[in-house]
Amino acid sequence: MSVITLTTDFGPGEYVAQMKGVILSLLPGTTFVDGSHEIRPGDVLEAAYLMEVMVPAFPPGSVNVVVVDPGVGTGRKALVVRYAERTLVAPDNGCLTAFFDEATAVHEITEESLFLPEVSATFHGRDIFAPVAAYLAGGGTLTGVGPEFSGEPVRVEGLHAEGEHGRVLHVDRFGNLVTSFPGQSVTDRARLEGPQGIVERTARTFSEVEPGLAFLYAGSGGRLEVGVSGGSAAKHLGWGPGTELRLRSDA
Amino acid sequence: MSVITLTTDFGPGEYVAQMKGVILSLLPGTTFVDGSHEIRPGDVLEAAYLMEVMVPAFPPGSVNVVVVDPGVGTGRKALVVRYAERTLVAPDNGCLTAFFDEATAVHEITEESLFLPEVSATFHGRDIFAPVAAYLAGGGTLTGVGPEFSGEPVRVEGLHAEGEHGRVLHVDRFGNLVTSFPGQSVTDRARLEGPQGIVERTARTFSEVEPGLAFLYAGSGGRLEVGVSGGSAAKHLGWGPGTELRLRSDA
Amino acid sequence: MSVITLTTDFGPGEYVAQMKGVILSLLPGTTFVDGSHEIRPGDVLEAAYLMEVMVPAFPPGSVNVVVVDPGVGTGRKALVVRYAERTLVAPDNGCLTAFFDEATAVHEITEESLFLPEVSATFHGRDIFAPVAAYLAGGGTLTGVGPEFSGEPVRVEGLHAEGEHGRVLHVDRFGNLVTSFPGQSVTDRARLEGPQGIVERTARTFSEVEPGLAFLYAGSGGRLEVGVSGGSAAKHLGWGPGTELRLRSDA
């Protein structure tokens, strides 16, 4: 009962299907969970946030692959990380930033005998990450994919706000804005400033707020989020991934 | 071989993934079917229609979760329904309207020991519905989730047309309009009126009709639908979910 | 451990879910892989390309269903094809063009006892293809679905460029344009001409090219593709599925 989760910026189509086909060819009976395939193309910061929020929900023993890989085909390295009994597989570009501090092992993927016989220049998801994930989910060891990683893994900047300065990390399907501020910063005195907009209202749930008004709340992923009841905060405020924000605490 | 189906307005991303992770952590080996995650945000009527059309196709023994939940975090109740050997799990807001008349049991979800240790204010899909679904799919009883529901469950209005008056319930990917009129009302004398448009042509299949022309047909879900061969009826007519319609029978 | 893959133009919603429900009702424990459900409505050529690129990645023994079926409900036939130890199921409209030359068997689907009791006029995916796929994945024989196909199966035109003349087959989520020219035609002297645009630059990976510039590369699916580093070639050039192209080799 191996569980492999896949998170990419590929969209839910032919690329993800090929990864699953490769994995099932090597490890029949794998259970797949699609994390998200809607990450903005190349947005490693969004990938890092989504992995942070999803991985704890995935079961111990699961192998969690994230491929947002604008540097595919260059010299960027590839990593396997062990974190809280889960295994994480990704290019070394910051997608796994949330996990390095508490990782119990980080290995570099170098064992080419695990890869597909022909490795393309543009699709390591299928040719490298999929077969490596199958190997690991089938009981393979981290040492089997390559040596302990001696360098410092790449971390993406901006995953956590620094003081007053943060940003939008992700917009969900409702148009809610997930920010780099912690959920605990939602207090009666909080005041979030962004381009052409300020949000000061706070609430616990959407139904507390009059439709059409923007408000701050502590999101289910542990971050300060901005919502509009019955509407899209992203549209309402014109903010989106990367929008810079400032969080003040009114005296 | 437990089957759990998930239908939401979350989009196919991180929220659905977290629900699946929670379920797999509790019930390894679960088979998931994604019903739809493209329901319009908060549109309980569309959810009710989609459940009506999908649930009969899902296998007996399956646990079918629908979470379209604009009232999350308020006092709205949550239900488990047994219908035709299937189990349905949802907030008590009308998502399960199609099933109450023939339900063999309706229980309220109250057993907090089944929930995740920390229940968020905005994501009961992950914190309540997912673990309850895992419990039920793993053989748990309705009594185990809470007592028989003593009240009258909430029903959504508009799922079935009343006389001549109906509406659009759902637009599929082709732009076909699914209405609240029954499929049997497609007759040679039918005449469907909506804003700035009237459709009188009827057909059995798309290829019978000249491209670009709107027509009525009995859809595969048992409803009167409006299609345009080689095009989108929704775009062609400018109608969408909620559009009010009138169905006349020309004498 | 039966694997069934599903590829359609239905979008990832209620139609695909019904197909999976029908299959699981007949063959519990089936593992599903979603190929793509984002094919342009009715675009058999795109379907043919996507099957060409995906099927080799799916495991031997898998049953691969593709339903892009603008002629549903008419007299068009339905086929089962055996190719490289995989089984393919589709309407006879060209979706399987890539496989006929090397197919080891082609049968017509005629055995109505396999179908759902009531076959709709518009949704053979659920009523015919799903139960037939379950039958085959459960060990059924090609003869069991119908006799050897005596006619010539329908092939879609344009899957492979003829000489200098080709076209766009598919646009992926990044906006990369997959063409009907082979990947080997990417050489230093290649020059791709389309409406209001010419692309001459070539590269092996995206990171070799300055952001915003279009270039040719040999894609992971074996075709000449056009990309824009950090952007969408489709938007940049204004090309899309069906756009006619001319590939010259500068002397």
PDB file of all heavy atoms in Angstrom, chain A residues 142-164:
ATOM      1  N   LEU A 142      17.560   5.780   1.144  1.00  0.00           N
ATOM      2  CA  LEU A 142      18.101   7.052   0.686  1.00  0.00           C
ATOM      3  C   LEU A 142      19.514   6.868   0.138  1.00  0.00           C
ATOM      4  O   LEU A 142      19.881   7.495  -0.862  1.00  0.00           O
ATOM      5  CB  LEU A 142      18.103   8.081   1.821  1.00  0.00           C
ATOM      6  CG  LEU A 142      16.862   8.983   1.867  1.00  0.00           C
ATOM      7  CD1 LEU A 142      15.597   8.171   2.071  1.00  0.00           C
ATOM      8  CD2 LEU A 142      16.986  10.049   2.934  1.00  0.00           C
ATOM      9  N   THR A 143      20.262   6.026   0.760  1.00  0.00           N
ATOM     10  CA  THR A 143      21.611   5.753   0.266  1.00  0.00           C
ATOM     11  C   THR A 143      21.566   5.151  -1.136  1.00  0.00           C
ATOM     12  O   THR A 143      22.456   5.393  -1.958  1.00  0.00           O
ATOM     13  CB  THR A 143      22.336   4.792   1.233  1.00  0.00           C
ATOM     14  OG1 THR A 143      22.276   5.358   2.542  1.00  0.00           O
ATOM     15  CG2 THR A 143      23.789   4.593   0.829  1.00  0.00           C
ATOM     16  N   GLY A 144      20.508   4.422  -1.405  1.00  0.00           N
ATOM     17  CA  GLY A 144      20.360   3.820  -2.731  1.00  0.00           C
ATOM     18  C   GLY A 144      20.176   4.827  -3.844  1.00  0.00           C
ATOM     19  O   GLY A 144      20.446   4.525  -5.008  1.00  0.00           O
ATOM     20  N   VAL A 145      19.705   6.031  -3.519  1.00  0.00           N
ATOM     21  CA  VAL A 145      19.521   7.042  -4.568  1.00  0.00           C
ATOM     22  C   VAL A 145      20.736   7.959  -4.698  1.00  0.00           C
ATOM     23  O   VAL A 145      20.873   8.660  -5.697  1.00  0.00           O
ATOM     24  CB  VAL A 145      18.260   7.913  -4.356  1.00  0.00           C
ATOM     25  CG1 VAL A 145      17.027   7.039  -4.179  1.00  0.00           C
ATOM     26  CG2 VAL A 145      18.424   8.867  -3.199  1.00  0.00           C
ATOM     27  N   GLY A 146      21.598   7.936  -3.687  1.00  0.00           N
ATOM     28  CA  GLY A 146      22.792   8.767  -3.782  1.00  0.00           C
ATOM     29  C   GLY A 146      23.324   9.092  -2.395  1.00  0.00           C
ATOM     30  O   GLY A 146      22.690   8.796  -1.378  1.00  0.00           O
ATOM     31  N   PRO A 147      24.487   9.730  -2.348  1.00  0.00           N
ATOM     32  CA  PRO A 147      25.160   9.994  -1.078  1.00  0.00           C
ATOM     33  C   PRO A 147      24.468  11.098  -0.273  1.00  0.00           C
ATOM     34  O   PRO A 147      23.689  11.884  -0.815  1.00  0.00           O
ATOM     35  CB  PRO A 147      26.543  10.458  -1.513  1.00  0.00           C
ATOM     36  CG  PRO A 147      26.307  11.097  -2.839  1.00  0.00           C
ATOM     37  CD  PRO A 147      25.224  10.278  -3.498  1.00  0.00           C
ATOM     38  N   GLU A 148      24.763  11.133   0.991  1.00  0.00           N
ATOM     39  CA  GLU A 148      24.303  12.233   1.830  1.00  0.00           C
ATOM     40  C   GLU A 148      24.709  13.554   1.174  1.00  0.00           C
ATOM     41  O   GLU A 148      25.805  13.659   0.612  1.00  0.00           O
ATOM     42  CB  GLU A 148      24.927  12.127   3.221  1.00  0.00           C
ATOM     43  CG  GLU A 148      23.981  12.551   4.320  1.00  0.00           C
ATOM     44  CD  GLU A 148      24.573  12.249   5.701  1.00  0.00           C
ATOM     45  OE1 GLU A 148      25.050  11.114   5.914  1.00  0.00           O
ATOM     46  OE2 GLU A 148      24.557  13.165   6.544  1.00  0.00           O
ATOM     47  N   PHE A 149      23.810  14.537   1.233  1.00  0.00           N
ATOM     48  CA  PHE A 149      24.079  15.805   0.557  1.00  0.00           C
ATOM     49  C   PHE A 149      25.016  16.634   1.410  1.00  0.00           C
ATOM     50  O   PHE A 149      24.720  16.927   2.570  1.00  0.00           O
ATOM     51  CB  PHE A 149      22.764  16.548   0.332  1.00  0.00           C
ATOM     52  CG  PHE A 149      22.910  17.766  -0.536  1.00  0.00           C
ATOM     53  CD1 PHE A 149      23.484  17.692  -1.797  1.00  0.00           C
ATOM     54  CD2 PHE A 149      22.455  18.999  -0.098  1.00  0.00           C
ATOM     55  CE1 PHE A 149      23.612  18.818  -2.604  1.00  0.00           C
ATOM     56  CE2 PHE A 149      22.569  20.132  -0.894  1.00  0.00           C
ATOM     57  CZ  PHE A 149      23.148  20.038  -2.145  1.00  0.00           C
ATOM     58  N   SER A 150      26.140  16.970   0.847  1.00  0.00           N
ATOM     59  CA  SER A 150      27.167  17.645   1.644  1.00  0.00           C
ATOM     60  C   SER A 150      26.969  19.166   1.647  1.00  0.00           C
ATOM     61  O   SER A 150      27.371  19.852   2.573  1.00  0.00           O
ATOM     62  CB  SER A 150      28.552  17.303   1.084  1.00  0.00           C
ATOM     63  OG  SER A 150      28.582  17.589  -0.303  1.00  0.00           O
ATOM     64  N   GLY A 151      26.338  19.692   0.609  1.00  0.00           N
ATOM     65  CA  GLY A 151      26.195  21.144   0.527  1.00  0.00           C
ATOM     66  C   GLY A 151      25.025  21.663   1.355  1.00  0.00           C
ATOM     67  O   GLY A 151      24.446  20.954   2.176  1.00  0.00           O
ATOM     68  N   GLU A 152      24.707  22.898   1.126  1.00  0.00           N
ATOM     69  CA  GLU A 152      23.557  23.525   1.776  1.00  0.00           C
ATOM     70  C   GLU A 152      22.429  23.557   0.744  1.00  0.00           C
ATOM     71  O   GLU A 152      22.596  24.128  -0.335  1.00  0.00           O
ATOM     72  CB  GLU A 152      23.940  24.947   2.197  1.00  0.00           C
ATOM     73  CG  GLU A 152      22.934  25.646   3.085  1.00  0.00           C
ATOM     74  CD  GLU A 152      22.637  24.887   4.375  1.00  0.00           C
ATOM     75  OE1 GLU A 152      23.569  24.231   4.927  1.00  0.00           O
ATOM     76  OE2 GLU A 152      21.473  24.927   4.817  1.00  0.00           O
ATOM     77  N   PRO A 153      21.287  22.916   1.039  1.00  0.00           N
ATOM     78  CA  PRO A 153      20.216  22.926   0.038  1.00  0.00           C
ATOM     79  C   PRO A 153      19.701  24.340  -0.206  1.00  0.00           C
ATOM     80  O   PRO A 153      19.737  25.193   0.682  1.00  0.00           O
ATOM     81  CB  PRO A 153      19.126  22.050   0.662  1.00  0.00           C
ATOM     82  CG  PRO A 153      19.450  21.947   2.104  1.00  0.00           C
ATOM     83  CD  PRO A 153      20.928  22.160   2.248  1.00  0.00           C
ATOM     84  N   VAL A 154      19.225  24.573  -1.413  1.00  0.00           N
ATOM     85  CA  VAL A 154      18.686  25.884  -1.776  1.00  0.00           C
ATOM     86  C   VAL A 154      17.388  26.133  -1.016  1.00  0.00           C
ATOM     87  O   VAL A 154      16.533  25.257  -0.924  1.00  0.00           O
ATOM     88  CB  VAL A 154      18.419  25.947  -3.299  1.00  0.00           C
ATOM     89  CG1 VAL A 154      17.715  27.241  -3.671  1.00  0.00           C
ATOM     90  CG2 VAL A 154      19.722  25.783  -4.077  1.00  0.00           C
ATOM     91  N   ARG A 155      17.274  27.323  -0.428  1.00  0.00           N
ATOM     92  CA  ARG A 155      16.030  27.728   0.226  1.00  0.00           C
ATOM     93  C   ARG A 155      15.429  28.890  -0.544  1.00  0.00           C
ATOM     94  O   ARG A 155      16.142  29.781  -0.984  1.00  0.00           O
ATOM     95  CB  ARG A 155      16.292  28.163   1.672  1.00  0.00           C
ATOM     96  CG  ARG A 155      16.696  27.008   2.575  1.00  0.00           C
ATOM     97  CD  ARG A 155      17.285  27.503   3.887  1.00  0.00           C
ATOM     98  NE  ARG A 155      17.927  26.418   4.607  1.00  0.00           N
ATOM     99  CZ  ARG A 155      17.449  25.867   5.727  1.00  0.00           C
ATOM    100  NH1 ARG A 155      16.327  26.330   6.277  1.00  0.00           N
ATOM    101  NH2 ARG A 155      18.086  24.883   6.312  1.00  0.00           N
ATOM    102  N   VAL A 156      14.114  28.876  -0.667  1.00  0.00           N
ATOM    103  CA  VAL A 156      13.457  29.969  -1.358  1.00  0.00           C
ATOM    104  C   VAL A 156      13.217  31.102  -0.365  1.00  0.00           C
ATOM    105  O   VAL A 156      12.914  30.858   0.809  1.00  0.00           O
ATOM    106  CB  VAL A 156      12.139  29.481  -2.006  1.00  0.00           C
ATOM    107  CG1 VAL A 156      11.074  29.175  -0.960  1.00  0.00           C
ATOM    108  CG2 VAL A 156      11.621  30.480  -3.015  1.00  0.00           C
ATOM    109  N   GLU A 157      13.346  32.310  -0.821  1.00  0.00           N
ATOM    110  CA  GLU A 157      13.122  33.461   0.061  1.00  0.00           C
ATOM    111  C   GLU A 157      11.654  33.848   0.114  1.00  0.00           C
ATOM    112  O   GLU A 157      10.948  33.730  -0.883  1.00  0.00           O
ATOM    113  CB  GLU A 157      13.917  34.658  -0.447  1.00  0.00           C
ATOM    114  CG  GLU A 157      15.353  34.629   0.021  1.00  0.00           C
ATOM    115  CD  GLU A 157      16.095  35.893  -0.394  1.00  0.00           C
ATOM    116  OE1 GLU A 157      15.464  36.979  -0.390  1.00  0.00           O
ATOM    117  OE2 GLU A 157      17.284  35.776  -0.728  1.00  0.00           O
ATOM    118  N   GLY A 158      11.216  34.295   1.264  1.00  0.00           N
ATOM    119  CA  GLY A 158       9.886  34.879   1.352  1.00  0.00           C
ATOM    120  C   GLY A 158       8.815  33.977   1.923  1.00  0.00           C
ATOM    121  O   GLY A 158       7.666  34.390   2.065  1.00  0.00           O
ATOM    122  N   LEU A 159       9.175  32.742   2.272  1.00  0.00           N
ATOM    123  CA  LEU A 159       8.156  31.819   2.777  1.00  0.00           C
ATOM    124  C   LEU A 159       7.590  32.292   4.117  1.00  0.00           C
ATOM    125  O   LEU A 159       6.420  32.045   4.423  1.00  0.00           O
ATOM    126  CB  LEU A 159       8.772  30.413   2.912  1.00  0.00           C
ATOM    127  CG  LEU A 159       7.847  29.256   3.218  1.00  0.00           C
ATOM    128  CD1 LEU A 159       6.726  29.149   2.207  1.00  0.00           C
ATOM    129  CD2 LEU A 159       8.630  27.940   3.268  1.00  0.00           C
ATOM    130  N   HIS A 160       8.406  32.984   4.891  1.00  0.00           N
ATOM    131  CA  HIS A 160       7.930  33.563   6.138  1.00  0.00           C
ATOM    132  C   HIS A 160       8.210  35.063   6.139  1.00  0.00           C
ATOM    133  O   HIS A 160       9.305  35.485   5.764  1.00  0.00           O
ATOM    134  CB  HIS A 160       8.612  32.895   7.338  1.00  0.00           C
ATOM    135  CG  HIS A 160       8.231  31.464   7.455  1.00  0.00           C
ATOM    136  ND1 HIS A 160       7.055  31.049   8.030  1.00  0.00           N
ATOM    137  CD2 HIS A 160       8.849  30.345   7.004  1.00  0.00           C
ATOM    138  CE1 HIS A 160       6.973  29.733   7.959  1.00  0.00           C
ATOM    139  NE2 HIS A 160       8.048  29.272   7.346  1.00  0.00           N
ATOM    140  N   ALA A 161       7.225  35.826   6.544  1.00  0.00           N
ATOM    141  CA  ALA A 161       7.386  37.274   6.603  1.00  0.00           C
ATOM    142  C   ALA A 161       8.520  37.629   7.561  1.00  0.00           C
ATOM    143  O   ALA A 161       8.765  36.917   8.537  1.00  0.00           O
ATOM    144  CB  ALA A 161       6.080  37.913   7.070  1.00  0.00           C
ATOM    145  N   GLU A 162       9.171  38.739   7.250  1.00  0.00           N
ATOM    146  CA  GLU A 162      10.189  39.227   8.178  1.00  0.00           C
ATOM    147  C   GLU A 162       9.667  40.515   8.791  1.00  0.00           C
ATOM    148  O   GLU A 162       9.560  41.532   8.109  1.00  0.00           O
ATOM    149  CB  GLU A 162      11.499  39.465   7.430  1.00  0.00           C
ATOM    150  CG  GLU A 162      12.009  38.161   6.851  1.00  0.00           C
ATOM    151  CD  GLU A 162      13.407  38.294   6.251  1.00  0.00           C
ATOM    152  OE1 GLU A 162      13.986  39.399   6.357  1.00  0.00           O
ATOM    153  OE2 GLU A 162      13.893  37.300   5.718  1.00  0.00           O
ATOM    154  N   GLY A 163       9.330  40.426  10.063  1.00  0.00           N
ATOM    155  CA  GLY A 163       8.765  41.595  10.725  1.00  0.00           C
ATOM    156  C   GLY A 163       7.475  42.014  10.050  1.00  0.00           C
ATOM    157  O   GLY A 163       6.599  41.192   9.801  1.00  0.00           O
ATOM    158  N   GLU A 164       7.405  43.286   9.696  1.00  0.00           N
ATOM    159  CA  GLU A 164       6.182  43.817   9.090  1.00  0.00           C
ATOM    160  C   GLU A 164       6.035  43.455   7.625  1.00  0.00           C
ATOM    161  O   GLU A 164       4.981  43.665   7.037  1.00  0.00           O
ATOM    162  CB  GLU A 164       6.195  45.355   9.178  1.00  0.00           C
ATOM    163  CG  GLU A 164       6.012  45.913  10.560  1.00  0.00           C
ATOM    164  CD  GLU A 164       5.880  47.444  10.510  1.00  0.00           C
ATOM    165  OE1 GLU A 164       6.322  48.047   9.500  1.00  0.00           O
ATOM    166  OE2 GLU A 164       5.334  48.017  11.462  1.00  0.00           O
TER     167      GLU A 164
END
